[in-house]
Amino acid sequence: PRKEPVQERSRFTVEAIVEATFRVLESHGVAGLTTTLVAKRAGVSVGTLYQYFPSREALLEQVLLRHRQETIDRLVEVLAKTREQSLEIQVRALVSALIEFKRRSPRLSWELSTQLPPTKGLSRKHDLAPIFRRLLEESGGEASTVPRAAIFAAVHGVEGALVRALDDPEILESEEFEKSLVRMALAALAA
């Protein structure tokens, strides 16, 4: 954001803009995202939008960071519930939470995973592998000793499969798909 909102009304305006950006991404995708469309959906003028977000890329970055934080918050919650349990239980819970998150808004997940402009480097800020590593290390038990490369392979394997499954709702909803992701992640982590 260009400036941080101080007053409650300003915070409400910024929140409306961010939520409108999510909605526009869901309905029009990254390619159809414009500041004009976001401002209209948020019920603010384009000038007001530009007071807080200097560009379309700033909107995309804010949405990506918000989406990433929601993912992290959910994963922290899951690991808190499975603290000190076996790696298998933790992986099952994490994979289940990620699938649930993708099912909630498959179009938005697909857009944020595949359609961001590569030149801006936004997708690198969304990489969950370092976060997973930190969360697993802090969770205690056998999960805290998994090597970094194994976590990288497991996370990117699961994320890649989830992104591809967004194109096929039947697969995304399949119980067998979830079991397969768990097996894949456990195999990578065991390596």
Side-chain angles (χ1 to χ4, degrees), residues 22-97:
F22 274 114
R23 301 296 76 84
V24 170
L25 282 170
E26 286 179 323
S27 59
H28 295 85
V30 171
L33 180 77
T34 66
T35 53
T36 303
L37 196 52
V38 170
K40 183 177 180 181
R41 181 79 54 103
V44 300
S45 70
V46 175
T48 298
L49 183 145
Y50 282 129
Q51 284 180 16
Y52 299 101
F53 299 97
S55 65
R56 175 181 180 271
E57 286 74 23
L59 287 170
L60 284 169
E61 183 164 357
Q62 185 64 36
V63 165
L64 183 62
L65 293 174
R66 172 83 57 95
H67 189 260
R68 178 179 186 246
Q69 190 59 53
E70 288 173 5
T71 304
I72 292 166
D73 291 347
R74 179 67 182 122
L75 297 178
V76 166
E77 182 183 313
V78 165
L79 283 175
K81 290 179 182 175
T82 60
R83 189 169 192 79
E84 301 294 332
Q85 293 189 21
S86 72
L87 179 61
E88 182 176 348
I89 290 172
Q90 289 183 318
V91 167
R92 284 183 194 285
L94 290 169
V95 167
S96 181

Side-chain angles (χ1 to χ4, degrees), residues 3 10 16 19 31 39 55-56 59 73 75 82 91 108 112 114 117 121 133 136 145 161 171 173 188 190:
K3 69 178 187 178
S10 299
E19 284 302 314
S55 65
R56 175 181 180 271
L59 287 170
D73 291 347
L75 297 178
T82 60
V91 167
L108 178 66
L112 292 176
T114 65
R133 180 172 187 231
L136 288 174
T145 62
I171 293 289
E173 296 294 329

Side-chain angles (χ1 to χ4, degrees), residues 13-24:
T13 299
V14 167
E15 186 60 30
I17 292 168
V18 171
E19 284 302 314
T21 306
F22 274 114
R23 301 296 76 84
V24 170

